């Protein structure tokens, strides 16, 4: 870049941004003081791969939750319990994939940590992702408990009961609502870009 009294152009922009901040133009100063985007040297293919991977994981999560919601019942069959186990496993793997691809998008392919660390919507999503993930452990524990009970009873599925089945359905409904809202939040964020 161009040299300005021994400093690079980026240093000059940062100094100019700091001077504007002292004058009270904080939003403009912040914009000017920011270093060049870290994504300038990133492959657009890798960035798109991380983005599509993120949305694929979201889609898998919604699909597996839908299967779980339609399969949970007070008197599950052996096939129902197998379907629940597979769907819950897919949900867990997709959740881990969602965290990993999200991490890649924040640190390497997105706007960078400097942007996201001050973004309230990002922290709201992270908090809710943690809450929903923790709530899903209730369903996972009960699915595993039913599998163990069925194995110990020589393949006879246990009766879950209406109360427990309804509680699991409510949790799964909340998870589906959250997962669907993530897509709407992302659509809004893309519209603002």
């Amino acid at each position: 870049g161009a040299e300005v009294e021994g400093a690079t152009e980026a240093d000059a922009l940062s100094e100019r941004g700091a001077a504007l901040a002292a004058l009270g133009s904080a939003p403009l100063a912040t914009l000017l003081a920011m270093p060049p985007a870290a994504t300038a040297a990133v492959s657009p293919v890798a960035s798109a791969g991380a983005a599509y991977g993120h949305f694929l994981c979201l889609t898998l999560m919604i699909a597996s939750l839908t299967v779980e919601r339609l399969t949970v019942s007070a008197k599950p069959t052996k096939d129902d319990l197998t379907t629940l186990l597979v769907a819950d496993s897919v949900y867990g793997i997709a959740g881990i994939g969602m965290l990993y691809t999200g991490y890649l998008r924040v640190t390497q392919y997105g706007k960078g940590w400097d942007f996201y660390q001050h973004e309230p919507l990002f922290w709201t999503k992270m908090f809710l992702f943690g809450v929903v993930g923790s709530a899903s452990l209730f369903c996972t524990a009960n699915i595993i408990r039913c599998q163990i009970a069925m194995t110990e009873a020589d393949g006879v599925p246990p009766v879950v009961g209406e109360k427990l089945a309804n509680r699991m359905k409510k949790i799964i409904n909340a998870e589906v609502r959250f997962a669907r809202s993530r897509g709407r939040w992302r659509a809004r964020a893309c519209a603002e870009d």
Side-chain angles (χ1 to χ4, degrees), residues 31 34-40 42 47 50-51 101-119 121-122 125 185-193:
L31 180 64
M34 293 175 75
T39 59
V42 173
S47 179
T101 56
Y103 170 79
L104 289 177
R105 293 186 73 200
V106 167
T107 60
Q108 295 180 13
Y109 303 122
K111 295 177 182 175
W113 179 245
D114 290 336
F115 171 79
Y116 287 106
Q117 72 180 346
H118 301 295
E119 183 62 36
L121 182 59
F122 171 77
K125 287 166 44 174
W185 286 344
R186 183 65 200 146
R188 282 190 205 128
C190 287
E192 293 172 1
D193 284 347

Side-chain angles (χ1 to χ4, degrees), residues 67-125:
V67 169
E68 281 188 39
R69 175 60 180 84
L70 296 173
T71 309
V72 168
S73 67
K75 296 179 183 178
T77 64
K78 185 176 181 178
D79 289 339
D80 289 345
L81 289 176
T82 302
T83 301
L84 282 172
L85 184 65
V86 170
D88 199 59
S89 298
V90 169
Y91 177 70
I93 292 167
I96 291 169
M98 182 89 145
L99 282 174
Y100 178 69
T101 56
Y103 170 79
L104 289 177
R105 293 186 73 200
V106 167
T107 60
Q108 295 180 13
Y109 303 122
K111 295 177 182 175
W113 179 245
D114 290 336
F115 171 79
Y116 287 106
Q117 72 180 346
H118 301 295
E119 183 62 36
L121 182 59
F122 171 77
W123 290 110
T124 302
K125 287 166 44 174

Side-chain angles (χ1 to χ4, degrees), residues 22-41:
L23 296 174
S25 303
L28 181 59
T30 303
L31 180 64
L32 291 175
M34 293 175 75
T39 59

Side-chain angles (χ1 to χ4, degrees), residues 127-146:
F127 173 75
L128 291 174
F129 191 82
V131 168
V132 169
S134 298
S136 75
L137 292 175
F138 177 80
C139 294
T140 300
N142 281 297
I143 291 168
I144 293 170
R145 185 185 56 78
C146 287

